[in-house]
Structures are given as C-alpha cells and as structure tokens.
Amino acid sequence: MKKFQQSEILQKLPKQFFASLVAKVNKVVADGHDVINLGQGNPDQPTPQHIVEALKEAADQPKFHKYSPFRGHAFLKKAVAQFYQREYGVELDPETEVAVLFGGKAGLVEIPQCLLNPGDIALVPDPGYPDYWSGVELARAVMEYMPLKEENGFLPVYSDIDRDKLEKAKVMFLNYPNNPTGAVATKDFFEETISFAKEHDICVVHDFAYGAIGFEGKRPVSFLEVEGSKDIGIEIYTLSKTYNMAGWRVGFAVGNSSVIEALNVIQDHMYVSLFSPVQVAAAAALNESQDCVKELVDKYESRRKAFIGALQDIGWDVKAPEGSFFAWLPVPEGYTSVSFADLLLEKAHVAVAPGIGFGEYGDRYVRVGLLTDEGRLVEAANRIKKLNLF
C-alpha cells in the first residue's frame, strides 16, 4: 500500500508531549499498579442533570435534526450575552460580538489563522497551553514567548519583550486563571495590557477557560470587564470546566466585532455549526440556576485545601493556586520536571504532568489536577512522603 507524505504544515505541528505521559501511565497500570493519575485536565464530575435533560428534550424534536444555522442559533448567542451581562456587567451584541465555537480549543487554534500572515509574530505565554502553538504553526507565523515567572505572579512583563519583535506582533494570548500555574490576573494588569496592546496594535486573545474557578471568595476577572477591552481583543470561554461539559465541545468567543466576524468566516468554511440540541443545552447551562457552579467550585476548593495541606505537612514548599483546578508545584533540586515526574510515577505510582510540556519556563515545576476525590489526593501526598524527598 502506498504511503502518502504528510504536508509540510502537518510535519511542523508541535508534537503531542502528553501522549508520551499517557503511554508511561498505561504501562505502569498494565504492570498491575494502582496509579493515582493527577496529570490530566479532564473534569471528573458529571454534567449537571438539568443540562443533560435539556439535551434529551431537544433531541426529541425533529426541527433540531436538520443542519444548524452556520453561525449558531440566535437563542444561544442571546444566552451568551445575558450570561455576560449577569455575571460581569458586560454588554454584548449577540449578532456581532458573539461567535459560537466547537469548544474553546477550536477558537484558540483558529484565531492565528484569522489574523496572522506568514512571518507575523504571536506573543504566547511560557508556560502556557500548548494548543496556542498549534494555531500559530498552522498560520505559518512565529511565536515570541513571554516568560511567566513566580516572582512576577506568573504575569508577563511587557517591558521585557524585544522591541523589534513587537513591530511584527499582531496577536497576544493570555489565560487567567492560568493553566498550568493557577495564577489569576487583576483589573490593573488588564488595564496595563489594554494600554500596551493599543500602543502596539496587537489583538489580545484572553483564554477564560477557568473563568468560574476562583478561591477564597475571589472571583476571577473577565478581560471584558475592563474599559477598552473590546477595542483591542476578545475573550474565549468554554462550558467544559464551568459546567463539566468537556465532551460536549461547546464554547464561544466574545468581544471585538471584527475578530468575531473573522472567526465566523473561517468557521463558515469549516463547519455547519453545532448540533442544535447541544446548543439548547448550552443555553440552559448559561441561563438557568448557577447553583451547580458554586457547588463545583466549593468542591475544588475543598480538594485544594486537603491536597496542598497534605503536601505542606510532608515538607514540600508548595503554594495553593488562586484559580483553576490545577496546582503548580516546584520540583526538588537535582531534578527536571520530566525526571521528577518519572520518579513519582515509577516509585510512588502518582502521575503528574511535567512542566516542560507547557514551555521552557515550566521545567522547574509539575502540574497536578485536582480532579479526583480528596481521599486519593491525600493518599498521593502520603505516597510521595515515603520517597523521603523533602
């Protein structure tokens, strides 16, 4: 059988670093060991029942068995606008400032193809979500990394960016609450960002995937809450984390109308929008009771307290995340993120994600997901304690 050559674009896409982690975990499991897998980012709780029921009821209606409108149903875009008004006090035009997405990831990968030409520069956080890299490569553009350092609260320092690179920069990705660090942003930081972006004519793309998950009574700030944000950027939101709808593949982008139109244009050529019952369920999630969201955040906060406390009790100098469902843990001296993760998997049967998978500046950390029950999280800490590393 003839083997056809992949295109240059496919060959240049970033390798899926975490595929190797999955293979390592599967091997240890196959050897008969009980692995506590904290290396994933997949929510462990079910989708709230009222959202599931909305899907079921809509799926019974023949009118929803046809192609959906190319740019999504008006009722979902209206629900998004109502959600932003209620939660953040932000006014949105449902038709021009909302784009329905096949999950947040799709929008993040599409944006560089909408706004960048070959050779243009995208500013990306390091460490950061690896799929930012994929979209930039597909656009044949270039990445300039913005280091996220603990001493700066894991926020980029704009004055450190090479001035020559700024001349070609057209897009900047931000993500708060942050994956993988768990850091959050302030309104002051976003005000600085808006000023910087306006000065250099850069479109800001704020990935708000963990927008609902903040701790100790502190609500994460939406980029669109800050005056001037819609002039220079958009925010991308997914229902995956807020409503445990990771497998449903539904999200949306909101903000600058010209960028929203660009997203709609590229999606016009790629899709015929989401299955209508999924859109009905998404509208129900956004419009109906938000008690399920509060309960979920309370669960993550309880896990955070139990796990971080258990790690501190064994002498590991770790800090609790301010948002998201991830903890960003420094590796002991003498280890890289990969060698430390390998040690934990092989000797303690605890799987964590090596920080190098998120960028060069992640190599002194490992990422842990608070995505299993408290008992298992505490057990993971106790297994690590037996290694006498701290």
Side-chain angles (χ1 to χ4, degrees):
M1 181 181 293
K2 179 176 174 59
K3 185 176 181 180
F4 292 93
Q5 185 72 33
Q6 292 184 353
S7 68
E8 290 181 4
I9 288 179
L10 282 186
Q11 293 180 53
K12 289 182 178 180
L13 284 174
K15 301 301 180 186
Q16 283 293 347
F17 177 87
F18 294 102
S20 63
L21 173 62
V22 172
K24 289 178 181 179
V25 172
N26 289 343
K27 182 180 184 304
V28 176
V29 171
D31 289 341
H33 299 290
D34 171 35
V35 174
I36 302 176
N37 193 346
L38 307 180
Q40 303 178 102
N42 202 352
D44 65 310
Q45 296 298 297
T47 305
Q49 192 58 37
H50 71 280
I51 300 172
V52 176
E53 292 300 326
L55 173 80
K56 290 179 179 178
E57 292 174 12
D60 279 334
Q61 299 183 46
K63 68 177 181 179
F64 288 142
H65 298 174
K66 303 176 181 180
Y67 289 127
S68 306
F70 268 83
R71 299 189 174 192
H73 283 288
F75 64 74
L76 177 54
K77 290 183 282 187
K78 182 178 179 181
V80 169
Q82 291 172 336
F83 173 80
Y84 259 76
Q85 174 62 53
R86 184 187 73 234
E87 299 294 326
Y88 304 110
V90 173
E91 296 278 353
L92 293 170
D93 182 326
E95 287 305 313
T96 63
E97 296 179 331
V98 178
V100 176
L101 303 174
F102 282 69
K105 173 179 175 175
L108 293 165
V109 173
E110 289 163 353
I111 276 289
Q113 298 170 79
C114 293
L115 301 180
L116 298 178
N117 295 311
D120 289 341
I121 286 177
L123 303 175
V124 297
D126 180 0
Y129 181 48
D131 281 308
Y132 305 149
W133 314 340
S134 303
V136 176
E137 190 60 56
L138 287 168
R140 300 193 178 189
V142 179
M143 288 185 289
E144 176 70 11
Y145 295 102
M146 302 184 294
L148 306 186
K149 300 179 181 179
E150 187 170 357
E151 59 263 34
N152 300 321
F154 296 112
L155 299 170
V157 177
Y158 297 134
S159 59
D160 289 346
I161 300 173
D162 187 298
R163 297 293 103 178
D164 292 335
K165 301 291 178 62
L166 283 177
E167 294 301 316
K168 291 186 176 182
K170 291 187 177 179
V171 169
M172 174 168 60
F173 287 99
L174 294 174
N175 165 222
Y176 295 98
N178 185 257
N179 172 20
T181 70
V184 299
T186 62
K187 282 191 175 181
D188 286 346
F189 170 73
F190 282 145
E191 287 172 354
E192 177 190 359
T193 298
I194 291 166
S195 177
F196 172 79
K198 285 183 176 179
E199 179 183 354
H200 297 285
D201 196 22
I202 295 170
C203 176
V204 177
V205 179
H206 183 232
D207 176 3
F208 204 32
Y210 305 91
I213 308 172
F215 302 120
E216 298 178 359
K218 297 177 182 176
R219 180 189 185 86
V221 178
S222 163
F223 176 64
L224 290 195
E225 284 184 82
V226 183
E227 186 177 354
S229 55
K230 283 200 287 186
D231 294 338
I232 50 80
I234 64 168
E235 188 156 78
I236 291 182
Y237 199 101
T238 172
L239 278 70
S240 297
K241 283 73 178 180
T242 304
Y243 302 102
N244 289 317
M245 296 173 69
W248 298 58
R249 308 312 308 157
V250 55
F252 52 85
V254 291
N256 184 279
S257 58
S258 67
V259 182
I260 296 301
E261 175 61 18
L263 278 169
N264 279 325
V265 168
I266 196 171
Q267 293 191 142
D268 285 347
H269 291 274
M270 297 178 73
Y271 317 114
V272 185
S273 198
L274 297 165
F275 182 43
S276 293
V278 171
Q279 296 189 53
V280 171
L286 296 169
N287 279 342
E288 296 182 12
S289 171
Q290 302 298 296
D291 288 348
C292 59
V293 180
K294 182 181 185 307
E295 291 168 4
L296 183 66
V297 174
D298 287 347
K299 183 181 291 290
Y300 287 140
E301 183 151 19
S302 180
R303 291 176 177 180
R304 165 185 178 264
K305 180 179 179 181
F307 183 60
I308 296 298
L311 293 182
Q312 291 172 341
D313 286 345
I314 69 173
W316 196 349
D317 184 15
V318 299
K319 295 180 180 177
E322 296 181 81
S324 83
F325 48 50
F326 295 118
W328 191 234
L329 311 177
V331 303
E333 289 296 325
Y335 292 92
T336 65
S337 61
V338 171
S339 65
F340 184 60
D342 286 346
L343 175 71
L344 294 187
L345 180 59
E346 293 165 8
K347 301 298 183 182
H349 303 142
V350 173
V352 299
I356 191 66
F358 302 95
E360 176 186 349
Y361 283 85
D363 201 25
R364 296 295 304 154
Y365 299 85
V366 293
R367 190 195 73 177
V368 166
L370 303 174
L371 299 171
T372 189
D373 63 72
E374 290 178 30
R376 292 285 276 177
L377 290 168
V378 172
E379 182 184 346
N382 290 333
R383 291 185 185 184
I384 295 169
K385 178 181 180 180
K386 294 177 182 177
L387 301 180
N388 295 315
L389 295 169
F390 306 104

